[in-house]
Amino acid sequence: MESSYFEELKSKFNVILEFSQKIQSTIINKLNERVTNKNFSIEYRIKTLNSLEYKIESKYPIPKSILEIEDLMGFRIISTTESEQNEIITNLQSIFKVLEIKDTSSD
């Protein structure tokens, strides 16, 4: 990857990292405000810069924008009951455009 492109990506990555931390706070705060029973936990991760570089080099033509890259961050919300799960999903859908919901309880 070109050095100048990677430097630009690196600077944008820091913005994405800060933004993802704000999203994490928003999710936690909104769910704590809105969900009746608070027996859920939230895990989150963001791709490292090295992982992002590898993904771009191996799986993409060089994107024009970091916004074209999918899976920069991910969240997992673990609930203890189905009713709590449904309440969480409803609340998340009212806050964000939810792209995918995976129920891994049977895995």
Side-chain angles (χ1 to χ4, degrees), residues 1-106:
M1 180 178 301
E2 293 178 25
S3 156
S4 63
Y5 180 82
F6 187 67
E7 289 304 315
E8 182 181 347
L9 179 65
K10 189 173 170 181
S11 69
K12 289 179 181 176
F13 180 78
N14 290 332
V15 171
I16 294 292
L17 182 60
E18 289 174 21
F19 183 68
S20 71
Q21 291 166 340
K22 288 178 183 177
I23 290 174
Q24 179 192 26
S25 292
T26 298
I27 289 173
I28 291 169
N29 292 338
K30 292 295 183 186
L31 290 180
N32 280 327
E33 288 171 7
R34 298 175 179 199
V35 176
T36 311
N37 187 3
K38 295 173 179 53
N39 291 323
F40 60 89
S41 63
I42 299 174
E43 300 172 359
Y44 111 103
R45 63 110 186 110
I46 185 165
K47 282 204 177 303
T48 64
L49 194 54
N50 289 341
S51 175
L52 183 57
E53 180 182 20
Y54 174 78
K55 184 171 187 162
I56 290 169
E57 288 177 342
S58 64
K59 298 183 181 179
Y60 289 96
I62 294 179
K64 294 179 178 134
S65 164
I66 196 167
L67 299 175
E68 293 178 6
I69 302 169
E70 294 179 3
D71 193 31
L72 287 173
M73 64 181 140
F75 290 86
R76 177 178 297 181
I77 301 171
I78 302 166
S79 63
T80 55
T81 66
E82 188 173 339
S83 63
E84 182 181 60
Q85 176 184 333
N86 292 334
E87 189 176 2
I88 289 169
I89 290 169
T90 300
N91 278 288
L92 288 175
Q93 289 173 327
S94 73
I95 301 167
F96 300 104
K97 177 181 176 186
V98 177
L99 299 178
E100 179 180 3
I101 298 172
K102 250 187 215 182
D103 182 354
T104 59
S105 60
S106 62

